[in-house]
Amino acid sequence: MKKVLGLLALAGAATVANAQWTNATLTDGNAYFRVTNGSMPTSITAGASGFTADFRTSGGTAATGTDHTFSHWWWVRGGTDTREYALALPSTAQQNAAVKTTTGTNEVSWSNLNPLSAGQLSNVRFTLTYKVVDLDGPTGNLQAQVVSVLRATNIGSTTATGVSVFNYVDYFFTGEDSGDVVPAGDAGIDGSGNRFIKVSDPSDTGGFGSMYHQGVGASGYGVGAFSAVGGQVGDTSIDNFNDFNSATAAGDQSGVMQWNFGDLAPGASAEAISVVTIPTPGALALVGMGGLIAARRRRA
């Protein structure tokens, strides 16, 4: 079995729903992304477990199409923390303070999320956004993309030091996990200077090609067996993902993108962008990203 999920902040006109940390189902043509209600964390959470996210192409509903991810989520860490923490809501009161915003059928965000640690992140607030995009229109059913942006803002009066964020994706490419593989050379830094992990499956009979997990402006990546990589991001120690690939043999694989924001001064913000595309984009424009072309820091 598998675990986890992921990510934050795309701009645009939106409608605001009732506050609360609730589930979301996103659709765009034949593309589908679902964060299930039971997967939403509501407390400080250890381990890479319990967070489910489905990314389907060639269908557009939960009952149709092929699922390519089992989970997709974010972890965070501040300078005085002794481990990474899953992005979550520590209390009912803080759940009620979160604002869920939807844009059409294909985008959702939660703002004013509190951090998980009591250390350097105590004055940092997060916004999490998911967006799903059908890349080949009504006549195609294979190309799709999930964009997730995580935005951290220091609302306090002192600097938040050593801020890092981690995007974890448990791959389920072509609807099964035992055959996923990342050959040597299929993870690294692409021509745009962004970290990437290219997942393929020799048993692919659906014509999907491959799945491309990109960390825009990421500081590092790690990819390998689900039990190993998921275990690292969810354990009780400090972990850093410094560009390693141990997924060269077929198996149940997962990957992490890491961004090191460093110190966030009072009022400062930073963003991390994760993009999962089917098939590997090549010259295909990352249309879901809009004007967000790099992880960046700016004044709030």
Side-chain angles (χ1 to χ4, degrees):
M1 296 298 293
K2 314 186 78 170
K3 309 125 188 166
V4 189
L5 129 72
L7 321 127
L8 308 154
L10 294 170
T15 58
V16 178
N18 292 332
Q20 292 289 343
W21 185 259
T22 56
N23 64 304
T25 298
L26 306 179
T27 60
D28 185 46
N30 288 311
Y32 171 96
F33 186 77
R34 177 179 62 177
V35 180
T36 63
N37 199 29
S39 70
M40 293 297 189
T42 56
S43 63
I44 294 176
T45 306
S49 61
F51 311 114
T52 303
D54 299 320
F55 174 31
R56 296 181 182 271
T57 61
S58 66
T61 72
T64 63
T66 301
D67 191 8
H68 299 289
T69 64
F70 194 91
S71 51
H72 187 303
W73 200 243
W74 292 88
W75 265 251
V76 298
R77 187 181 72 215
T80 59
D81 289 331
T82 57
R83 54 160 293 175
E84 295 79 47
Y85 292 92
L87 184 67
L89 297 166
S91 72
T92 300
Q94 289 164 339
Q95 282 190 61
N96 291 337
V99 177
K100 179 182 177 183
T101 304
T102 56
T103 304
T105 63
N106 72 333
E107 184 175 335
V108 65
S109 65
W110 292 269
S111 59
N112 199 36
L113 302 183
N114 292 68
L116 297 177
S117 72
Q120 293 297 300
L121 299 181
S122 60
N123 289 320
V124 177
R125 297 295 178 267
F126 293 92
T127 299
L128 169 62
T129 298
Y130 287 103
K131 182 174 183 178
V132 64
V133 182
D134 182 344
L135 296 177
D136 54 8
T139 60
N141 61 7
L142 297 181
Q143 300 180 22
Q145 187 175 83
V146 171
V147 182
S148 181
V149 185
L150 175 60
R151 186 171 193 251
T153 301
N154 183 357
I155 65 170
S157 59
T158 60
T159 297
T161 63
V163 179
S164 295
V165 299
F166 307 79
N167 173 228
Y168 174 90
V169 178
D170 186 358
Y171 308 125
F172 200 60
F173 183 53
T174 72
E176 59 87 28
D177 51 24
S178 61
D180 291 347
V181 62
V182 183
D186 281 3
I189 300 175
D190 63 22
S192 298
N194 299 310
R195 263 70 178 182
F196 76 93
I197 299 167
K198 180 181 176 181
V199 183
S200 55
D201 189 328
S203 65
D204 175 17
T205 60
F208 296 104
S210 57
M211 176 165 60
Y212 198 76
H213 181 193
Q214 184 183 47
V216 180
S219 308
Y221 71 87
V223 59
F226 157 72
S227 58
V229 174
Q232 284 188 62
V233 77
D235 64 16
T236 57
S237 63
I238 291 175
D239 298 286
N240 290 296
F241 297 86
N242 298 314
D243 295 348
F244 70 83
N245 177 9
S246 59
T248 54
D252 182 0
Q253 314 291 4
S254 58
V256 175
M257 294 291 172
Q258 176 174 348
W259 291 258
N260 297 323
F261 293 152
D263 298 345
L264 288 180
S269 297
E271 292 177 340
I273 303 169
S274 166
V275 186
V276 177
T277 307
I278 297 172
T280 296
L284 183 67
L286 298 178
V287 299
M289 292 173 59
L292 298 176
I293 59 173
R296 65 199 188 277
R297 184 177 306 167
R298 65 175 183 231
R299 299 296 294 184

